[in-house]
Amino acid sequence: MYVGRFVVVSPEVAAYRVSSRSFPNRHVYERNGALVVGPTADAPETDNPYIAYNCVRTTDDTAVVGNGSHVDPIAEKLALGYPARDALVTALHALDFEKDDYDTPRVAGTVSEAGAYIATVRRDALHVQEVTEPTLVATYERDAPAGYDLDATEPAAAARELYDADFEHRVCAVAVAPVDGGFETAYVNE
């Protein structure tokens, strides 16, 4: 099954996987304290604004994961002191779904010592909810938050578990978790 890009958030870890039929030549790398999805050196030229973006950003106490440019304003709202729920609602409401050929939903999640949230904005809805168990939301097919069987509780294992998940067209995966007053991140490119 092809679900596109997806986020899984649990109280311990937030993770994100890029799955793509159209732009598979992408990878994750670190830049200026963020994890970034971008084209590989051998990727064909494109002017598509949705294929390169920060997919993980952290603030002093909260980490954000997501499938696009909305990750930055969510992190900025958190840094200003917004509660996670309000930062997600504000940014997703302002940016709305992606204005591409598919009206691609934006998906995002936050994780901190204080709690975790998952969110999506689609053409027909905006969902933001606190999570107490692993929860998935994807751009296609599974575009409303629902329970997900995630065993991993630390970033390296969570990134690997999402990368290996039985959904089509895997490209790369990332994960982030609060640890010792900071954050640990991990990613898988193959």
Side-chain angles (χ1 to χ4, degrees):
M1 172 190 306
Y2 180 65
V3 298
R5 275 80 52 221
F6 63 94
V7 169
V8 175
V9 178
S10 76
E12 298 84 21
V13 65
Y16 167 63
R17 185 175 110 177
V18 177
S19 304
S20 180
R21 295 180 287 217
S22 304
F23 298 100
N25 296 5
R26 289 187 278 174
H27 64 140
V28 175
Y29 58 94
E30 294 181 55
R31 181 181 67 204
N32 299 328
L35 294 182
V36 180
V37 170
T40 58
D42 62 344
E45 290 287 322
T46 182
D47 61 356
N48 186 314
Y50 300 116
I51 65 162
Y53 49 88
N54 290 333
C55 63
V56 174
R57 292 261 319 262
T58 60
T59 65
D60 289 340
D61 61 359
T62 306
V64 181
V65 299
N67 72 320
S69 61
H70 55 285
V71 169
D72 292 330
I74 294 167
E76 290 161 8
K77 297 294 184 193
L78 289 166
L80 290 172
Y82 281 56
R85 183 186 68 88
D86 296 352
L88 287 160
V89 168
T90 303
L92 292 174
H93 182 262
L95 290 170
D96 211 2
F97 58 91
E98 294 179 359
K99 305 307 187 280
D100 60 6
D101 293 340
Y102 306 103
D103 294 340
T104 302
R106 294 179 189 267
V107 296
T110 63
V111 64
S112 72
E113 296 287 347
Y117 286 83
I118 198 163
T120 185
V121 63
R122 310 184 310 240
R123 174 179 275 288
D124 65 341
L126 170 63
H127 292 275
V128 178
Q129 68 184 54
E130 187 170 13
V131 299
T132 56
E133 63 183 12
T135 304
L136 175 141
V137 67
T139 56
Y140 309 117
E141 299 297 325
R142 296 190 176 184
D143 63 357
Y148 182 78
D149 186 21
L150 179 72
D151 295 323
T153 58
E154 59 90 25
R160 172 52 62 187
E161 191 172 335
L162 254 64
Y163 185 84
D164 291 340
D166 194 23
F167 296 118
E168 296 174 353
H169 303 287
R170 70 181 55 109
V171 174
C172 53
V174 300
V176 60
V179 292
D180 301 325
F183 292 92
E184 180 181 332
T185 62
Y187 56 91
V188 176
N189 291 315
E190 290 187 10

